[in-house]
Amino acid sequence: MKEPNKISPSDITPASVYFNRRTFMKAGLVAASAAATGLVYRKLNHVGTATVDTPALEGLKTSSDADAASGFHAADAQTPFKDITHYNNFYEFSTDKEAVADASAAFMTQGWQVSVEGLVRKPRAYGIDDLLKISPPEERVYRMRCVEGWSMVIPWAGFPLSKLLAQVEPLSGAKYVAFESLLDPKRMPGQNADVLPWPYVEGLRMDEALHPLTLLASGIYGRMLPPQDGAPIRLVTPWKYGFKGIKCIVKIKLVADQPPTTWSTASPKEYGFYANVNPTVDHPRWSQATEQRIGESGRRPTLMFNGYAEQVASMYAGMDLRANY
Ligand SMILES: Nc1nc2c(c(=O)[nH]1)N[C@H]1C(S)=C(S)[C@@H](COP(=O)(O)O)O[C@H]1N2
Ligand SMILES: [Mo]
């Protein structure tokens, strides 16, 4: 999903290629697949060089089938930890999904602060430890559908954004929540390239921000988030395309007007503010009707609101979802 005129085929690995390579590896056909294309050979040498070893989260409240009705626990098979942490979109580090893990491995989050400000009664700069103490981590197993047409099932750990917003007490004029990622080109080398405007920014309407599915995530698979997945804190909105899930958040601002978002600024005809998963509204350059679930062969149908219609559809009643893509 790079800006159209900046796409370089050499640094993109389509999900199908990635999947096929993993299959080849499992089948012991590494040499055969490597011989087939130079691209695959180059990539193969890269896979698995980064280690991921973050501390376990304390006091995690695990989810179960009983949480399925609320959407908190998808029954789908969970994507392996290895794939969640080695197939990443995180342009601050690299536009090559498989290079992000290595490129971000040394990223430090000590002393992290998140400023919560704007139209609130009690603005506050939270140290990350205080922020995480707002509520014990809860496991949420969510489907994640990237706008590019691949998907995963991720066991996140985090707490509802609504709990943080309750602490700062929104004023009645607050209609949207604007999020901002860290801006620090020294620590995020991808920010030295103008592939996107920096810092990465995102936004939600207030009712979306307060929805119980909306998570501030600090972990996956019961461990603290590794850098490539957005440490120390990132947003997760499972009924929206993955790019809404802004990583490495440093600012949360409550505002009156719809805030700018990175992808809709970079390519407004292709990416909108809402970004609700919708199999009937195609991307201008590809269909959104189906998706490649990482680890599966073949494509599966994409579900309206990514399968969360029961929980979220009422928020968009009467809205033209084709105009508000
Ligand atoms: N700051 C920031 N957040 C980001 C991105 C990014 O490039 N920078 N990429 C987005 C996209 S396109 C996706 S699909 C998800 C990927 O999250 P994951 O790598 O943890 O699976 O992160 C989103 N959040
Ligand atoms: Mo994405």
Side-chain angles (χ1 to χ4, degrees):
M1 55 190 282
K2 293 179 161 187
E3 279 183 83
N5 55 0
K6 289 176 180 160
I7 288 176
S8 153
S10 64
D11 60 14
I12 291 176
T13 306
S16 54
V17 172
Y18 177 81
F19 168 74
N20 286 330
R21 183 171 61 257
R22 295 299 302 273
T23 305
F24 283 138
M25 290 171 75
K26 279 187 202 131
L29 295 173
V30 171
S33 71
T37 76
L39 173 71
V40 170
Y41 181 73
R42 180 174 71 79
K43 300 282 190 172
L44 265 175
N45 289 330
H46 197 87
V47 166
T49 55
T51 55
V52 180
D53 189 17
T54 59
L57 282 167
E58 278 165 42
L60 179 70
K61 288 197 281 183
T62 54
S63 63
S64 69
D65 294 344
D67 299 308
S70 45
F72 294 172
H73 187 95
D76 313 40
Q78 294 172 24
T79 303
F81 183 80
K82 172 85 185 176
D83 294 329
I84 298 172
T85 55
H86 289 82
Y87 190 77
N88 301 101
N89 270 332
F90 202 169
Y91 282 16
E92 282 88 336
F93 290 100
S94 174
T95 56
D96 176 345
K97 294 185 202 350
E98 291 163 85
V100 170
D102 271 0
S104 64
F107 183 71
M108 297 289 178
T109 62
Q110 273 87 345
W112 197 271
Q113 292 219 330
V114 181
S115 169
V116 188
E117 54 183 68
L119 299 174
V120 296
R121 196 160 287 118
K122 297 178 173 168
R124 180 172 164 191
Y126 287 85
I128 190 66
D129 294 340
D130 289 333
L131 185 80
L132 296 182
K133 272 185 213 138
I134 288 175
S135 192
E138 303 165 33
E139 184 187 61
R140 299 286 178 86
V141 181
Y142 287 161
R143 288 176 289 277
M144 208 268 276
R145 167 64 154 81
C146 175
V147 75
E148 296 165 330
W150 54 269
S151 64
M152 296 188 183
V153 181
I154 304 181
W156 301 103
F159 64 84
L161 175 63
S162 64
K163 298 206 172 182
L164 168 63
L165 297 181
Q167 275 210 351
V168 296
E169 299 180 17
L171 299 171
S172 61
K175 304 294 185 207
Y176 293 86
V177 183
F179 303 84
E180 203 172 298
S181 292
L182 178 68
L183 176 65
D184 188 345
K186 287 199 187 74
R187 292 157 73 198
M188 294 179 144
Q191 291 179 336
N192 293 303
D194 67 352
V195 58
L196 286 177
W198 307 112
Y200 196 99
V201 291
E202 258 304 338
L204 294 172
R205 214 169 57 186
M206 189 59 76
D207 57 340
E208 299 176 323
L210 294 174
H211 194 280
L213 284 173
T214 301
L215 200 67
L216 276 179
S218 58
I220 39 170
Y221 272 110
R223 314 197 72 84
M224 286 168 71
L225 279 179
Q228 59 265 46
D229 292 290
I233 193 95
R234 60 93 55 84
L235 182 70
V236 185
T237 49
W239 70 97
K240 293 176 177 290
Y241 290 118
F243 66 82
K244 297 296 284 184
I246 182 172
K247 298 175 174 182
C248 293
I249 297 171
V250 294
K251 193 197 283 187
I252 300 176
K253 186 172 182 176
L254 285 79
V255 294
D257 301 315
Q258 184 177 300
T261 64
T262 290
W263 279 102
S264 68
T265 302
S267 192
K269 294 201 173 77
E270 296 182 307
Y271 311 106
F273 176 80
Y274 284 94
N276 291 315
V277 174
N278 189 337
T280 71
V281 178
D282 288 340
H283 186 280
R285 289 183 282 140
W286 57 82
S287 164
Q288 294 291 26
T290 65
E291 67 201 54
Q292 168 83 64
R293 178 71 51 87
I294 298 298
E296 276 181 6
S297 62
R299 298 181 70 86
R300 57 160 66 207
T302 286
L303 305 176
M304 188 63 204
F305 295 116
N306 203 22
Y308 298 94
E310 207 180 306
Q311 290 84 18
V312 305
S314 63
M315 290 195 289
Y316 309 102
M319 232 173 95
D320 180 351
L321 297 178
R322 192 161 290 277
N324 295 285
Y325 53 94

